[in-house]
Amino acid sequence: MNSTSPAEQRPWAVLRQFVRPRPPVERCELCGLGLATEHPHLLESATRQLHCCCDACSILFSGQQEARFRRVPSRVESLDDFHLGDEQWEDLHLPINLAFFVRSTAAGRVLAYFPSPAGATESLLTLEAWEQLVRENAILGTMEPDVEALLVNRLGTSNEYYYVSIDECYKLVGLIRTHWRGLSGGTAAWAEIGQFFAGLKERSRPSSGGAPHARPEL
């Protein structure tokens, strides 16, 4: 039986109002280890879902092409010398000036996606259009299937091209789904998109658009 009087309980009730609950810790979906804000991801081949993981679990699946999970490499490179003219872009028949391209093992070809309030939406991409891009930008021929992508931002006056890991693309998709309002998106959504690409540019390392940088040994 609680012998504390209501008057004695009142100060504790007031204090509890100012106690902030600890935010939930994100955990590795394989071993349960707590994760930092920035952490690796695994791609589940059958479902194309991304899974958060720790460094140790990520290394276990490095280079295993046929495994259930594929390690998503950490990669952000700006392609400053990328060749893609306005006419070539129009030939890709994308509804917006923002898209990413990934070589799909399941489809046996390169797929084009554009982020939308409904998620990542696939767009028609002809083989001829992609082959022309590869001829003019040799680095595209080195993209690791399913886990690396070409990310294109031609919004406004921007012409930005990045060679990135696929989780960066889905991070962009996620923030658009979260912040988009109405038909035009709203100020908050466009601010988030701008901040995303500003952060990507800050974190990126330059690439000439030719052969990729050597991957570090594990």
Side-chain angles (χ1 to χ4, degrees):
M1 181 175 180
N2 188 356
S3 60
T4 307
S5 68
E8 293 173 324
Q9 293 177 5
R10 194 174 300 118
W12 294 107
V14 173
L15 286 173
R16 279 197 293 268
Q17 297 177 15
F18 297 95
V19 176
R20 296 181 179 178
R22 293 183 179 180
V25 176
E26 195 166 14
R27 296 191 175 277
C28 175
E29 296 182 43
L30 272 70
C31 71
L33 185 71
L35 300 175
T37 302
E38 295 295 327
H39 52 261
H41 292 94
L42 296 173
L43 178 74
E44 188 170 3
S45 302
T47 62
R48 294 198 52 76
Q49 287 186 327
L50 288 174
H51 298 273
C52 300
C53 68
C54 64
D55 291 329
C57 289
S58 171
I59 292 173
L60 285 176
F61 291 95
S62 179
Q64 297 190 35
Q65 302 292 331
E66 304 300 326
R68 176 184 174 185
F69 296 106
R70 296 269 307 281
R71 183 189 183 194
V72 177
S74 178
R75 186 165 197 161
V76 179
E77 292 186 16
S78 60
L79 304 178
D80 298 330
D81 296 328
F82 195 81
H83 300 288
L84 177 59
D86 294 340
E87 186 174 342
Q88 284 178 285
W89 179 254
E90 292 297 327
D91 287 342
L92 297 177
H93 303 294
L94 288 158
I96 63 172
N97 289 328
L98 186 61
F100 61 94
F101 305 81
V102 59
R103 192 181 304 278
S104 169
T105 301
R109 61 187 179 89
V110 174
L111 301 178
Y113 295 91
F114 60 91
S116 75
T121 304
E122 185 178 342
S123 181
L124 180 65
L125 177 67
T126 65
L127 180 62
E128 293 79 7
W130 179 255
E131 286 182 339
Q132 183 178 357
L133 281 179
V134 174
R135 284 195 296 271
E136 298 185 18
N137 303 278
I139 197 169
L140 298 182
T142 70
M143 284 198 318
E144 188 175 346
D146 304 314
V147 294
E148 293 183 331
L150 166 67
L151 177 58
V152 177
N153 174 25
R154 293 171 63 95
L155 296 171
T157 58
S158 298
N159 282 320
E160 298 178 306
Y161 308 96
Y162 294 95
Y163 184 3
V164 298
S165 50
I166 195 65
D167 51 1
E168 297 290 345
C169 300
Y170 282 101
K171 187 185 300 181
L172 174 62
V173 171
L175 72 84
I176 290 177
R177 290 192 65 177
T178 302
H179 297 281
W180 195 272
R181 298 291 182 271
L183 294 176
S184 63
T187 305
W190 289 107
E192 289 289 337
I193 294 171
Q195 290 174 13
F196 171 84
F197 279 103
L200 202 66
K201 187 172 186 178
E202 184 177 346
R203 291 187 292 118
S204 68
R205 59 183 182 183
S207 173
S208 64
H213 294 282
R215 298 181 187 276
E217 295 295 330
L218 296 176

